[in-house]
Amino acid sequence: MAGGLEPHLEALRRELHGPAVISVLVALIAVAITFLIWRFVQGRRSSRKAVLLLGLCDAGKTLLFARLLSGRYRDTQTSITDSSAVYRLSQDKSTNVTLIDLPGHESLRLQFLERFKAAARAIVFVVDSVAFQREVKDVAEFLYQVLVDSTVLRNAPALLIACNKQDVTMAKSAKLIQQQLEKELNTLRVTRSAAPSSLDGSATGGPAQLGKKGKDFDFSQLPMKVEFVECSARGSKGEEGEADLEGLEKWLAKVA
């Protein structure tokens, strides 16, 4: 009986050491590694709960911050420090993010970005749609500094360009703002390609490559998802009216 089973046992042993079994084991190991990496990335993402409000002075960040938190209008002034508060989603009170309004003054904005960038789950870059044509180069320069930052590139937080002050007749559309920013960023990456960046932490000391080499820049080339919305922190009826933040609020619900 035992002698009759021996050839079958030997064949089974050979099969267990064969290429098919090795392939299965390799596949299982690959799945396990992929799962561990996914858990690690998700863990890092869940630890980043901040949504940073960035932009130039007078873009309307602070009023946007106040409207999101209370819904009410308030007079604001140029910020010289950060302000933060927990923002709870209206449809799910248990889900929240920390909104952080950072100063937009040229002498302060990069040092505050340096302080909070590692905690950013998402970034709202606020643009003054009325003054945009006049400020486009300054807007693009600040945005460029954000986009080539090594920490921002590594973490790839969701990015929203909030085209504010749409209640004003002369406001530029989100589409035009996107087109102009892509054009200016494309120019900047050429002129700044050899310049050092104070925010970049790479060993070479130079800025990271923005977009794809050899192609005109557009936002789809970035590692993070970029969206544009039109909004108005002041609202069409001024101080007495409601703000138009529906697009922004929907986006916050997605990234929370």
Side-chain angles (χ1 to χ4, degrees):
M1 182 74 173
L5 288 175
E6 187 61 34
H8 299 287
L9 293 173
E10 182 61 29
L12 181 60
R13 280 194 291 270
R14 286 197 303 269
E15 187 67 27
L16 289 175
H17 289 85
V21 174
I22 293 174
S23 297
V24 171
L25 289 175
V26 170
L28 288 174
I29 291 171
V31 170
I33 292 174
T34 301
F35 177 73
L36 290 174
I37 293 173
W38 179 82
R39 287 292 300 271
F40 174 73
V41 171
Q42 288 298 108
R44 288 188 62 190
R45 184 179 183 277
S46 63
S47 67
R48 301 197 305 270
K49 297 285 289 182
V51 176
L52 308 185
L53 299 182
L54 307 179
L56 303 187
C57 285
D58 300 322
K61 300 186 310 299
T62 303
L63 180 56
L64 205 64
F65 177 77
R67 285 285 208 178
L68 286 169
L69 295 173
S70 68
R72 294 190 295 272
Y73 177 91
R74 80 174 193 195
D75 290 324
T76 62
Q77 56 187 11
T78 301
S79 304
I80 58 172
T81 188
D82 60 282
S83 299
S84 63
V86 173
Y87 172 76
R88 301 186 186 279
L89 300 175
S90 57
Q91 68 271 31
D92 183 1
K93 296 296 185 182
S94 64
T95 303
N96 62 77
V97 293
T98 301
L99 291 180
I100 306 179
D101 175 27
L102 302 185
H105 194 278
E106 187 177 2
S107 64
L108 298 172
R109 58 195 182 211
L110 292 183
Q111 72 181 60
F112 277 91
L113 175 62
E114 184 72 22
R115 184 183 304 176
F116 292 105
K117 64 186 182 182
R121 169 173 292 196
I123 294 173
V124 178
F125 193 96
V126 184
V127 174
D128 183 337
S129 302
V130 179
F132 177 73
Q133 208 65 51
R134 183 176 69 252
E135 298 178 342
V136 60
K137 292 186 182 300
D138 292 335
V139 172
E141 183 174 351
F142 183 22
L143 185 56
Y144 175 87
Q145 291 171 312
V146 174
L147 294 177
V148 298
D149 178 76
S150 58
T151 300
V152 173
L153 286 171
R154 182 173 62 251
N155 292 341
L159 174 63
L160 182 74
I161 310 296
C163 305
N164 193 25
K165 304 187 182 180
Q166 289 291 319
D167 55 293
V168 181
T169 306
M170 299 301 292
K172 301 298 184 289
S173 69
K175 183 176 182 179
L176 184 144
I177 288 172
Q178 178 176 348
Q179 291 171 344
Q180 289 295 314
L181 281 178
E182 287 176 339
K183 181 179 177 181
E184 287 295 330
L185 288 169
N186 190 59
T187 301
L188 273 172
R189 73 172 180 172
V190 174
T191 58
R192 301 291 182 86
S193 59
S197 172
S198 61
L199 281 177
D200 186 73
S202 63
T204 62
Q209 173 68 39
L210 186 68
K212 295 181 179 179
K213 192 173 182 179
K215 292 187 176 182
D216 288 342
F217 173 79
D218 66 67
F219 285 102
S220 67
Q221 298 168 3
L222 296 174
M224 68 282 288
K225 184 174 177 57
V226 183
E227 297 181 55
F228 283 71
V229 298
E230 296 181 353
C231 61
S232 174
R234 185 177 177 87
S236 59
K237 295 183 179 179
E239 299 178 16
E240 302 301 321
E242 293 185 359
D244 179 10
L245 304 179
E246 182 179 0
L248 174 55
E249 290 170 334
K250 285 181 178 179
W251 182 83
L252 286 170
K254 286 195 301 183
V255 302

